[in-house]
Amino acid sequence: MKPNLFFDLDGTLTDSGEGVINCAQLALRHFGIPCEDRVPLRAFVGPPLRESFPRFGVPADQVETAVEIFRSRYNTVGKFENVPYPGIRRMLLELRRGGFSLYVATSKPERTALEVLDKFELTACFDRVCGADFSGARDSKEDVLRYLLDLLPPGQQALMIGDTIYDVQGAARFGIPTIGVTWGYGDPEEMRRGGAVDLVDSPAALYDLLSGGLNGRL
């Protein structure tokens, strides 16, 4: 039986860095935090905002304000400063034709994830899109994966595909192996050290690995 494939969104299916970084800068400037160097702000792509802002100096009691400022721009402009990675659409369609069931598991709010996927006409590639909620009750990758797994029949095999250690660690809590993609925003070696079963450098290479059954490693 083929495993269910759980895809991360930001940094895995689409390159959302421009919009995320622009919105992070807006929020950090509100607090007078230096943020002209965009390279460190790549760390905002993927993890929950409520985890990222404290790492950049936002006081704990002001994190919700930072999230609101970020989303004030992201929900209108930033979410569309985004583009699918080359080869993603073809890979997804070929995986579906090959009999795989595809899901999105993202810590981005679910409604926003659907808007992004709709814009790029990718929603129909997936059996279900699961994401965070705006309240923060379902926020981390672990929360989203628990939510997704609760929607599926028990005992089915699954495989996570993502670009950061958060994907690897979140999936590992449920005994789900992860393939790390190197075209996103995470550290490939960190993913390998964290337990990723393999790393791939292109959507075509990911398709080849999946269609070959991962050489029996699942």
Side-chain angles (χ1 to χ4, degrees):
M1 182 180 295
K2 296 180 184 295
N4 295 312
L5 302 180
F6 296 172
F7 284 88
D8 174 52
L9 179 55
D10 290 358
T12 300
L13 298 174
T14 69
D15 185 354
S16 58
E18 180 183 357
V20 170
I21 292 171
N22 288 343
C23 297
Q25 284 183 316
L26 178 68
L28 293 173
R29 285 172 181 147
H30 174 83
F31 296 98
I33 297 171
C35 57
E36 297 311 309
D37 184 356
R38 293 172 65 87
V39 173
L41 301 184
R42 289 168 58 91
F44 274 92
V45 183
L49 294 173
R50 292 177 178 88
E51 294 181 14
S52 297
F53 278 118
R55 297 192 184 107
F56 282 81
V58 175
D61 62 349
Q62 294 296 310
V63 167
E64 290 304 315
T65 299
V67 171
E68 289 174 8
I69 295 169
F70 179 101
R71 287 180 175 164
S72 70
R73 184 183 188 281
Y74 191 81
N75 290 338
T76 55
V77 178
K79 63 189 175 186
F80 297 130
E81 295 172 326
N82 195 353
V83 64
Y85 287 102
I88 286 293
R89 178 188 298 279
R90 179 177 180 180
M91 177 200 68
L92 295 174
L93 292 173
E94 289 182 350
L95 288 171
R96 286 193 68 87
R97 284 194 290 266
F100 287 94
S101 295
L102 277 56
Y103 300 84
V104 171
T106 174
S107 55
K108 180 188 293 297
E110 188 170 302
R111 188 178 72 197
T112 306
L114 283 165
E115 290 171 340
V116 169
L117 292 167
D118 284 347
K119 175 179 174 60
F120 299 123
E121 300 181 347
L122 293 176
T123 307
C125 294
F126 297 97
D127 295 83
R128 181 74 185 241
V129 176
C130 294
D133 62 11
F134 284 108
S135 72
R138 188 172 71 244
D139 197 36
S140 69
K141 184 58 61 85
E142 182 179 354
D143 294 337
V144 172
L145 286 171
R146 182 181 295 108
Y147 169 61
L148 173 53
L149 289 167
D150 284 345
L151 298 174
L152 300 178
Q156 293 194 5
Q157 195 174 41
L159 177 67
M160 184 73 211
I161 299 157
D163 70 310
T164 71
I165 189 63
Y166 299 98
D167 299 306
V168 179
Q169 292 174 340
R173 289 185 172 89
F174 301 97
I176 299 172
T178 298
I179 296 175
V181 304
T182 64
W183 58 79
Y185 286 79
D187 180 337
E189 287 308 312
E190 185 179 35
M191 286 191 287
R192 189 187 298 279
R193 292 191 302 270
V197 297
D198 213 331
L199 300 175
V200 293
D201 296 328
S202 70
L206 177 58
Y207 173 79
D208 289 343
L209 183 62
L210 293 170
S211 60
L214 279 168
N215 299 317
R217 279 176 286 167
L218 288 184

